[in-house]
Amino acid sequence: MPKANSQPTNDSTGRFKERQAQIVMEAISILNAKGIASMMMSDVAAQLELAPTAVFYYYKNKEDLAAACMKSGLARFHAMIDEVESVAEPDRVRAFVGHYFEQLQLIGEGKLPPLPLFNEIRALDDETVNQEYERMFKRLRSLVDASAPTKLGRLDRNIRTHQLLTQILWADTWVKRYEPGEFARLAERFYDILANGYLKGEAPALPRAKPVNRVLSVEDAGTERILQTATQLINTRGYKSASIEKIAARLSLTKGAVYYHYASKEDLAKACFDRSVDLILNAKTVGDKDGQTASDRLIITLSLLMEHQLDKNVPIIRLSAFASMPRELRSRIYNRFEKLTLGFASLISDGVADSSMRAIDPFVGANMMIGVLMAATEAQFWATDLTAKNVSKLYVRPVILGSLV
């Protein structure tokens, strides 16, 4: 095997860096499909028709290569931010959204390589990548500051920046259902909802959701603890890295105790997903019962789910965490989430019909709502003062009424 990462004495010709860049571009697709845990250096070499060990000449191990992939994606984000910093201040977030969707269009047309899925950053846990991600977040926050009509406090700034970032990253999943030629229109509709929200007219008092522990219980105590822990681990480490052994260790259980309830990790992952869908459906049932208008129903549903996740530290499963799952199971999960998204689109259509919501694209709005739900607990990394008691005011309110109004 060649000595790991032994760069040539003189790489002024750029051949070494050019090959590194080629390796990174191929590795991103594999990383997105398999996750860090399952990505193999030999897979990358095969894509480039290199000897199985050749990649080690450029990157010492797969973690080193994965870090290079993340840095490549972050560099593209910095380039987009560079492009819009000269735009008039109120329009900078709009311009950034436009640039991002343009990137997605070019990726869809095969004219640009894909961006890495940043959900793998925590699984990677590389200090230099974490620092660069934080720097990118702060630069995005400066765009939010410039675009907001009034001066925001630090907590509000972080929350709105988190909402912007999670929504555009989630868009990479749902825009694939559209033809690339539609992306410019989608960018405008996306920005309209992000900036101006869902509701029509004056800002109402947000209805208070019912106590979360009474209305959202979907499992008995024994299996619920397993599902909570497995969901947290899948969200932070990805499906491949969330082994039964790690889940059992966090619960101080034997692997056999977990296998007593679930025959395989695949069965456990499926149960985690079904539990998340059940939580959302239960919350929608409460909203349908208690809401006077469609907007009331939407607010109650969203507030209830956000409070539940923060109060119980029980996140909704993140769809991006399933990227490395077996294809058949992944397809089943995506199909059920598609039905859930259509349910939110129908609710938004009801709101437009009863004049409680603005005339927005119901499908774009529904996909953005799903993105909000799956990013709730992650918001606490950037907004440490966010709790179940204040999440409706601080997090739900800018989603419903707009982040830039």
Side-chain angles (χ1 to χ4, degrees):
M1 180 185 297
K3 187 177 179 181
N5 210 30
S6 55
Q7 294 189 19
T9 304
N10 184 0
D11 63 352
S12 60
T13 61
R15 291 175 61 189
F16 184 85
K17 291 184 178 180
E18 182 180 346
R19 177 61 83 182
Q20 278 190 315
Q22 290 173 346
I23 291 171
V24 166
M25 290 303 101
E26 291 295 338
I28 287 173
S29 296
I30 296 172
L31 181 63
N32 287 351
K34 293 187 173 184
I36 292 172
S38 297
M39 183 178 76
M40 304 292 290
M41 300 285 263
S42 57
D43 293 337
V44 180
Q47 288 293 105
L48 291 165
E49 299 182 348
L50 297 173
T53 59
V55 179
F56 288 97
Y57 183 67
Y58 301 92
Y59 296 98
K60 61 184 179 182
N61 52 45
K62 69 178 181 180
E63 289 77 19
D64 192 31
L65 176 55
C69 291
M70 296 302 174
K71 290 176 182 177
S72 172
L74 289 168
R76 289 167 69 177
F77 265 75
H78 282 299
M80 285 186 277
I81 295 171
D82 289 341
E83 288 286 332
V84 304
E85 284 184 330
S86 60
V87 173
E89 288 194 349
D91 296 323
R92 287 183 185 174
V93 170
R94 180 197 291 270
F96 177 77
V97 169
H99 276 287
Y100 184 77
F101 274 75
E102 184 180 1
Q103 287 259 322
L104 295 183
Q105 178 176 344
L106 293 172
I107 291 168
E109 293 171 343
K111 297 175 181 177
L112 278 180
L115 287 159
L117 298 177
F118 290 147
N119 61 289
E120 289 286 315
I121 284 180
R122 286 203 177 88
L124 179 62
D125 197 24
D126 179 278
E127 184 178 356
T128 60
V129 173
N130 292 341
Q131 290 173 349
E132 195 59 23
Y133 187 80
E134 184 175 349
R135 188 170 78 88
M136 181 270 289
F137 184 91
K138 290 178 178 178
R139 293 192 70 197
L140 274 182
R141 189 172 62 196
S142 71
L143 301 185
V144 172
D145 287 341
S147 300
T150 58
K151 186 175 178 60
L152 300 171
R154 183 177 179 81
L155 182 59
D156 285 325
R157 293 163 64 212
N158 281 349
I159 286 172
R160 283 162 170 75
T161 305
H162 174 261
Q163 290 173 348
L164 168 62
L165 181 57
T166 55
Q167 288 289 15
I168 60 172
L169 295 178
W170 176 240
D172 181 56
T173 300
W174 58 262
V175 296
K176 295 173 183 176
R177 302 168 193 151
Y178 294 83
E179 289 293 327
E182 297 285 323
F183 284 17
R185 179 182 62 83
L186 292 174
E188 282 300 312
R189 296 188 175 191
F190 174 99
Y191 174 77
D192 175 50
I193 296 170
L194 178 76
N196 303 304
Y198 293 76
L199 266 58
K200 184 177 183 179
E202 295 296 320
L206 296 184
R208 175 69 183 174
K210 290 185 176 182
V212 295
N213 59 346
R214 185 166 66 86
V215 297
L216 289 190
S217 178
V218 295
E219 287 288 343
D220 63 72
T223 57
E224 177 68 4
R225 287 182 64 233
I226 296 174
L227 293 174
Q228 287 180 12
T229 301
T231 298
Q232 291 164 356
L233 198 57
I234 290 171
N235 280 354
T236 56
R237 297 294 178 181
Y239 172 75
K240 288 290 186 181
S241 296
S243 66
I244 294 292
E245 183 176 9
K246 290 178 181 177
I247 293 166
R250 286 197 178 190
L251 291 165
S252 298
L253 297 173
T254 65
K255 289 195 295 182
V258 178
Y259 280 121
Y260 176 80
H261 295 282
Y262 304 100
S264 66
K265 186 174 81 168
E266 188 173 304
D267 286 344
L268 176 54
K270 184 169 66 174
C272 289
F273 170 76
D274 288 338
R275 173 192 163 282
S276 292
V277 173
D278 287 342
L279 286 172
I280 295 172
L281 291 176
N282 286 358
K284 285 190 69 180
T285 298
V286 175
D288 289 344
K289 180 181 178 181
D290 293 355
Q292 296 289 320
T293 64
S295 64
D296 286 344
R297 289 152 55 197
L298 182 64
I299 293 169
I300 292 170
T301 299
L302 182 57
S303 296
L304 190 58
L305 286 165
M306 299 295 281
E307 289 177 16
H308 180 78
Q309 292 187 76
L310 295 181
D311 181 53
K312 301 296 182 182
N313 194 25
V314 184
I316 300 295
I317 199 79
R318 298 186 68 185
L319 214 55
S320 56
F322 284 102
S324 57
M325 288 187 70
R327 184 181 297 274
E328 183 177 340
L329 181 56
R330 188 168 70 238
S331 177
R332 173 193 178 278
I333 288 172
Y334 285 168
N335 286 340
R336 193 168 184 206
F337 239 96
E338 181 74 12
K339 293 177 182 178
L340 196 62
T341 303
L342 290 174
F344 276 107
S346 178
L347 178 57
I348 292 169
S349 295
D350 289 344
V352 175
D354 70 13
S355 298
S356 64
M357 294 193 206
R358 299 167 53 244
I360 61 175
D361 187 315
F363 296 103
V364 174
N367 279 292
M368 293 176 69
M369 189 62 60
I370 295 294
V372 167
L373 293 177
M374 290 192 294
T377 52
E378 189 180 69
Q380 290 182 307
F381 286 102
W382 303 104
T384 55
D385 294 332
L386 194 64
T387 67
K389 292 183 179 180
N390 63 23
V391 69
S392 289
K393 177 182 178 181
L394 297 177
Y395 200 90
V396 174
R397 193 175 186 87
V399 170
I400 294 296
L401 302 177
S403 290
L404 300 175
V405 295

